[in-house]
mmCIF file of all heavy atoms in Angstrom:
data_model
loop_
_atom_site.group_PDB
_atom_site.id
_atom_site.type_symbol
_atom_site.label_atom_id
_atom_site.label_comp_id
_atom_site.label_asym_id
_atom_site.label_seq_id
_atom_site.Cartn_x
_atom_site.Cartn_y
_atom_site.Cartn_z
ATOM 1 N N LEU A 243 28.390 -76.595 78.267
ATOM 2 C CA LEU A 243 27.649 -77.849 77.931
ATOM 3 C C LEU A 243 26.345 -77.819 78.699
ATOM 4 O O LEU A 243 26.310 -77.418 79.856
ATOM 5 C CB LEU A 243 28.445 -79.125 78.363
ATOM 6 C CG LEU A 243 29.843 -79.279 77.791
ATOM 7 C CD1 LEU A 243 30.847 -78.664 78.787
ATOM 8 C CD2 LEU A 243 30.119 -80.791 77.693
ATOM 9 N N GLY A 244 25.258 -78.268 78.073
ATOM 10 C CA GLY A 244 24.031 -78.382 78.840
ATOM 11 C C GLY A 244 22.780 -78.432 78.049
ATOM 12 O O GLY A 244 22.805 -78.545 76.773
ATOM 13 N N ASP A 245 21.698 -78.389 78.751
ATOM 14 C CA ASP A 245 20.349 -78.334 78.245
ATOM 15 C C ASP A 245 19.917 -76.903 78.214
ATOM 16 O O ASP A 245 19.510 -76.365 79.291
ATOM 17 C CB ASP A 245 19.412 -79.229 79.090
ATOM 18 C CG ASP A 245 17.953 -79.158 78.672
ATOM 19 O OD1 ASP A 245 17.645 -78.441 77.654
ATOM 20 O OD2 ASP A 245 17.103 -79.726 79.391
ATOM 21 N N PHE A 246 19.963 -76.262 77.052
ATOM 22 C CA PHE A 246 19.638 -74.841 76.957
ATOM 23 C C PHE A 246 18.135 -74.628 76.808
ATOM 24 O O PHE A 246 17.698 -73.474 76.894
ATOM 25 C CB PHE A 246 20.345 -74.249 75.815
ATOM 26 C CG PHE A 246 21.861 -74.146 75.954
ATOM 27 C CD1 PHE A 246 22.638 -75.265 75.924
ATOM 28 C CD2 PHE A 246 22.459 -72.905 76.140
ATOM 29 C CE1 PHE A 246 24.024 -75.149 76.056
ATOM 30 C CE2 PHE A 246 23.853 -72.782 76.232
ATOM 31 C CZ PHE A 246 24.640 -73.931 76.210
ATOM 32 N N ASN A 247 17.362 -75.654 76.529
ATOM 33 C CA ASN A 247 15.962 -75.504 76.135
ATOM 34 C C ASN A 247 15.841 -74.461 75.094
ATOM 35 O O ASN A 247 14.844 -73.730 74.982
ATOM 36 C CB ASN A 247 15.105 -75.131 77.367
ATOM 37 C CG ASN A 247 14.610 -76.382 78.125
ATOM 38 O OD1 ASN A 247 14.058 -77.267 77.534
ATOM 39 N ND2 ASN A 247 14.915 -76.463 79.367
ATOM 40 N N ALA A 248 16.801 -74.377 74.224
ATOM 41 C CA ALA A 248 16.801 -73.422 73.147
ATOM 42 C C ALA A 248 17.474 -73.975 71.901
ATOM 43 O O ALA A 248 18.449 -74.786 71.991
ATOM 44 C CB ALA A 248 17.602 -72.154 73.551
ATOM 45 N N THR A 249 16.989 -73.632 70.706
ATOM 46 C CA THR A 249 17.588 -73.996 69.491
ATOM 47 C C THR A 249 18.299 -72.792 68.887
ATOM 48 O O THR A 249 18.202 -71.682 69.340
ATOM 49 C CB THR A 249 16.536 -74.536 68.522
ATOM 50 O OG1 THR A 249 15.776 -73.361 68.007
ATOM 51 C CG2 THR A 249 15.564 -75.530 69.176
ATOM 52 N N ILE A 250 18.989 -73.088 67.753
ATOM 53 C CA ILE A 250 19.679 -71.992 67.041
ATOM 54 C C ILE A 250 18.714 -70.957 66.521
ATOM 55 O O ILE A 250 19.078 -69.840 66.212
ATOM 56 C CB ILE A 250 20.539 -72.599 65.911
ATOM 57 C CG1 ILE A 250 21.714 -73.398 66.568
ATOM 58 C CG2 ILE A 250 21.164 -71.524 65.031
ATOM 59 C CD1 ILE A 250 22.600 -74.071 65.503
ATOM 60 N N ASP A 251 17.427 -71.318 66.409
ATOM 61 C CA ASP A 251 16.442 -70.376 65.957
ATOM 62 C C ASP A 251 15.943 -69.394 66.930
ATOM 63 O O ASP A 251 15.165 -68.490 66.644
ATOM 64 C CB ASP A 251 15.270 -71.179 65.320
ATOM 65 C CG ASP A 251 15.718 -72.060 64.136
ATOM 66 O OD1 ASP A 251 16.231 -71.499 63.219
ATOM 67 O OD2 ASP A 251 15.573 -73.259 64.247
ATOM 68 N N HIS A 252 16.423 -69.535 68.189
ATOM 69 C CA HIS A 252 16.009 -68.543 69.236
ATOM 70 C C HIS A 252 17.059 -67.473 69.311
ATOM 71 O O HIS A 252 18.316 -67.755 69.427
ATOM 72 C CB HIS A 252 15.915 -69.251 70.569
ATOM 73 C CG HIS A 252 14.747 -70.192 70.669
ATOM 74 N ND1 HIS A 252 14.897 -71.572 70.778
ATOM 75 C CD2 HIS A 252 13.390 -69.963 70.627
ATOM 76 C CE1 HIS A 252 13.685 -72.137 70.874
ATOM 77 N NE2 HIS A 252 12.779 -71.142 70.725
ATOM 78 N N ALA A 253 16.665 -66.195 69.323
ATOM 79 C CA ALA A 253 17.567 -65.082 69.351
ATOM 80 C C ALA A 253 18.393 -65.135 70.635
ATOM 81 O O ALA A 253 19.541 -64.739 70.625
ATOM 82 C CB ALA A 253 16.833 -63.772 69.231
ATOM 83 N N THR A 254 17.792 -65.587 71.736
ATOM 84 C CA THR A 254 18.506 -65.673 72.979
ATOM 85 C C THR A 254 19.712 -66.548 72.884
ATOM 86 O O THR A 254 20.758 -66.263 73.440
ATOM 87 C CB THR A 254 17.567 -66.185 74.071
ATOM 88 O OG1 THR A 254 16.438 -65.290 74.227
ATOM 89 C CG2 THR A 254 18.250 -66.281 75.465
ATOM 90 N N PHE A 255 19.592 -67.672 72.197
ATOM 91 C CA PHE A 255 20.717 -68.600 71.983
ATOM 92 C C PHE A 255 21.734 -68.007 70.936
ATOM 93 O O PHE A 255 22.919 -68.102 71.187
ATOM 94 C CB PHE A 255 20.215 -69.939 71.529
ATOM 95 C CG PHE A 255 21.344 -70.980 71.326
ATOM 96 C CD1 PHE A 255 21.916 -71.612 72.377
ATOM 97 C CD2 PHE A 255 21.856 -71.183 70.042
ATOM 98 C CE1 PHE A 255 22.913 -72.534 72.185
ATOM 99 C CE2 PHE A 255 22.887 -72.107 69.851
ATOM 100 C CZ PHE A 255 23.411 -72.745 70.956
ATOM 101 N N ARG A 256 21.224 -67.411 69.885
ATOM 102 C CA ARG A 256 22.115 -66.872 68.859
ATOM 103 C C ARG A 256 23.003 -65.783 69.411
ATOM 104 O O ARG A 256 24.083 -65.547 68.906
ATOM 105 C CB ARG A 256 21.317 -66.406 67.623
ATOM 106 C CG ARG A 256 20.665 -67.512 66.815
ATOM 107 C CD ARG A 256 20.319 -67.114 65.473
ATOM 108 N NE ARG A 256 19.565 -65.852 65.388
ATOM 109 C CZ ARG A 256 18.266 -65.766 65.606
ATOM 110 N NH1 ARG A 256 17.560 -66.841 65.863
ATOM 111 N NH2 ARG A 256 17.659 -64.613 65.536
ATOM 112 N N ALA A 257 22.478 -65.069 70.475
ATOM 113 C CA ALA A 257 23.368 -64.066 71.079
ATOM 114 C C ALA A 257 24.625 -64.609 71.603
ATOM 115 O O ALA A 257 25.685 -63.930 71.637
ATOM 116 C CB ALA A 257 22.574 -63.381 72.188
ATOM 117 N N LEU A 258 24.600 -65.846 72.079
ATOM 118 C CA LEU A 258 25.797 -66.531 72.546
ATOM 119 C C LEU A 258 26.813 -66.770 71.370
ATOM 120 O O LEU A 258 28.041 -66.600 71.523
ATOM 121 C CB LEU A 258 25.492 -67.924 73.156
ATOM 122 C CG LEU A 258 24.635 -67.831 74.415
ATOM 123 C CD1 LEU A 258 24.370 -69.274 74.924
ATOM 124 C CD2 LEU A 258 25.143 -66.957 75.523
ATOM 125 N N LEU A 259 26.249 -67.119 70.224
ATOM 126 C CA LEU A 259 27.102 -67.312 69.004
ATOM 127 C C LEU A 259 27.718 -65.964 68.598
ATOM 128 O O LEU A 259 28.907 -65.905 68.183
ATOM 129 C CB LEU A 259 26.313 -67.918 67.907
ATOM 130 C CG LEU A 259 25.573 -69.222 68.227
ATOM 131 C CD1 LEU A 259 24.831 -69.766 67.011
ATOM 132 C CD2 LEU A 259 26.544 -70.282 68.820
ATOM 133 N N THR A 260 26.925 -64.940 68.703
ATOM 134 C CA THR A 260 27.455 -63.588 68.296
ATOM 135 C C THR A 260 28.536 -63.164 69.291
ATOM 136 O O THR A 260 29.507 -62.490 68.886
ATOM 137 C CB THR A 260 26.313 -62.539 68.420
ATOM 138 O OG1 THR A 260 25.290 -62.936 67.452
ATOM 139 C CG2 THR A 260 26.795 -61.189 68.023
#
Side-chain angles (χ1 to χ4, degrees):
L243 305 90
D245 173 5
F246 291 71
N247 273 306
T249 73
I250 293 178
D251 298 301
H252 292 114
T254 301
F255 181 81
R256 292 199 310 277
L258 300 180
L259 306 182
T260 301

